[in-house]
Amino acid sequence: ENYSVVLAENRKMFNEIQDLKGNIRVYCRIRPFFPGQKEKRTTIEYIGENGELVVANRSKPGKEGHRLFKFNKIFGPDATQAEVFSDVQPLIRSVLDGYNVCIFAYGQTGSGKTYTMTGPNSATKENWGVNYRALNDLFDISQRRRSSIIYEMGVQMVEIYNEQVRDLLSNDGSQKKLGILSHSQPNGLAVPDASMQPVKSTSDVMDLMDMGLRNRAVGATALNERSSRSHSVLTIHVVGRDVKTGAPLLGNLHLVDLAGSERVDRSEVVGDRLREAQHINKSLSALGDVIFALAQKNLHVPYRNSKLTQVLQSSLGISLLVIFF
Ligand code: ADP
């Protein structure tokens, strides 16, 4: 009731933000507050039944300090990994039906992206992240369909660091620099020269993901440092063939690990770190512009403004998972 005023005041913005109808879905997950965690400038004031979130800036008391966001759904601090995945699950079937799907987490370092996508370090079955669950489903469903469609799958993994795309799965670990196709191909693969490794199970993909992560760490002082300053895109390329008609079917699942979205002006960095941060800011804002254009159903979608949006071009229309706090 207290917030009906805020909601009414924000009605205009509410309408402008749009429901993000169509193929893009935006979820918000709020991770638990940790004991001893520094209080933030912004606090969550209200969570609505239908995905409304009101946040308040404590340094601006009153109405000006309040902002309303609208998500497809909000997962609170008590939401389980299984609950979060149940909203993603239908998209996995879409990949096997021949669509390109992209799932990623956006947020500052520490906001819970890795927890949601991968799971905690010593994950048990209950707290497996979206990635494991998605892969298990992909292989399970493809097996169940094998009397009508035979599927073959391959994996690519690339890193985007300072607006350069590098191969993370070449057999010699050379991290070759790669070019991106300017127009999306029928197979949906924007980086055709990235190594493609055949896979038959979730553990095959996980092994390759580990190999990719190790390659990503080369030249960096610590894996964590580098990984939060570059984006990585793992693509599971699915080729199906109808047993009776021989008709082909192509789909891709992109699992994206985005660099942290923290603002560079606050971190006061210089030199290499500044250059990295500027590249990250640029690519994340290009991603925001593309998503906004898609949500508005604009005719022109500015994919060309960053390597990240070019790599994901064929799949950004389908899905998005966002983490906010
Ligand atoms: P990021 O990848 O965005 O930098 P992490 O996923 O590493 O953030 O999360 C930061 C910390 O918060 C980790 O210790 C993680 O285990 C914990 N955490 C994040 N989300 C949750 C959650 N929903 N429930 C419990 N712990 C969480």
Side-chain angles (χ1 to χ4, degrees):
E1 214 178 292
N2 284 347
Y3 294 100
S4 58
V5 180
V6 179
L7 288 174
E9 291 285 334
N10 280 283
R11 192 63 60 193
K12 185 167 168 287
M13 184 162 82
F14 189 109
N15 290 336
E16 278 169 10
I17 286 175
Q18 301 274 325
D19 247 322
L20 294 178
K21 287 191 208 77
N23 290 327
I24 296 185
R25 292 177 217 174
V26 185
Y27 298 91
C28 169
R29 185 178 201 186
I30 300 160
R31 72 150 167 73
F33 197 77
F34 299 125
Q37 183 184 327
K38 226 175 47 195
E39 275 199 59
K40 296 211 171 178
R41 222 170 19 176
T42 26
T43 52
I44 295 167
E45 293 283 302
Y46 171 80
I47 299 176
E49 292 274 301
N50 299 312
E52 300 93 353
L53 178 77
V54 178
V55 298
N57 184 332
R58 291 188 304 145
S59 57
K60 287 193 212 154
K63 279 179 296 199
E64 303 89 74
H66 288 79
R67 290 189 68 192
L68 173 73
F69 296 88
K70 177 90 173 76
F71 295 92
N72 285 84
K73 190 168 177 175
I74 296 175
F75 295 101
D78 299 330
T80 63
Q81 300 281 71
E83 277 162 3
V84 173
F85 182 68
S86 68
D87 273 80
V88 178
Q89 203 161 21
L91 298 166
I92 306 306
R93 202 173 286 273
S94 301
V95 176
L96 293 162
D97 291 340
Y99 291 91
N100 295 326
V101 168
C102 176
I103 305 174
F104 58 85
Y106 174 90
Q108 297 198 350
T109 301
S111 58
K113 298 186 295 297
T114 312
Y115 185 93
T116 297
M117 300 304 287
T118 313
N121 268 344
S122 51
T124 57
K125 211 168 179 234
E126 289 71 49
N127 52 23
W128 273 349
V130 164
N131 290 349
Y132 295 86
R133 292 169 194 262
L135 293 170
N136 275 344
D137 256 33
L138 198 68
F139 288 103
D140 277 359
I141 301 169
S142 70
Q143 275 302 308
R144 272 187 261 135
R145 289 185 178 179
R146 69 177 181 271
S147 56
S148 50
I149 305 174
I150 303 286
Y151 289 99
E152 281 182 23
M153 301 191 204
V155 165
Q156 289 182 328
M157 190 172 174
V158 299
E159 174 182 50
I160 304 168
Y161 180 63
N162 285 348
E163 285 298 277
Q164 281 180 351
V165 183
R166 289 173 192 275
D167 193 355
L168 292 181
L169 294 185
S170 65
N171 287 324
D172 58 3
S174 62
Q175 295 188 53
K176 243 184 353 217
K177 277 192 216 160
L178 300 168
I180 305 177
L181 292 174
S182 52
H183 295 286
S184 70
Q185 302 295 295
N187 66 6
L189 295 172
V191 196
D193 296 332
S195 312
M196 176 80 76
Q197 307 283 0
V199 286
K200 293 200 179 311
S201 66
T202 302
S203 68
D204 287 352
V205 183
M206 298 320 301
D207 289 348
L208 289 170
M209 210 187 258
D210 284 347
M211 172 177 156
L213 280 177
R214 277 196 305 275
N215 284 338
R216 194 179 176 184
V218 170
T221 38
L223 171 68
N224 276 351
E225 274 190 35
R226 172 71 178 265
S227 65
S228 62
R229 300 197 306 256
S230 70
H231 311 299
S232 81
V233 180
L234 179 102
T235 303
I236 296 125
H237 182 54
V238 175
V239 182
R241 196 161 289 279
D242 190 297
V243 172
K244 283 206 198 85
T245 65
L249 182 155
L250 294 167
N252 292 291
L253 174 63
H254 295 289
L255 300 173
V256 185
D257 183 9
L258 284 183
S261 66
E262 39 273 356
R263 300 229 173 89
V264 66
D265 51 2
R266 286 206 212 130
S267 44
E268 294 173 351
V269 289
V270 290
D272 283 354
R273 294 295 92 80
L274 179 65
R275 204 157 67 95
E276 285 163 359
Q278 286 168 335
H279 281 300
I280 294 168
N281 283 0
K282 185 182 154 222
S283 58
L284 292 177
S285 72
L287 181 63
D289 294 343
V290 165
I291 286 159
F292 189 73
L294 289 169
Q296 297 281 320
K297 310 243 182 285
N298 289 354
L299 287 179
H300 176 69
V301 181
Y303 291 110
R304 306 298 313 272
N305 291 348
S306 77
K307 293 283 192 290
L308 178 67
T309 46
Q310 286 173 57
V311 169
L312 298 176
Q313 176 159 0
S314 68
S315 71
L316 277 177
I318 307 292
S319 170
L320 167 70
L321 179 81
V322 166
I323 296 183
F324 187 71
F325 260 83

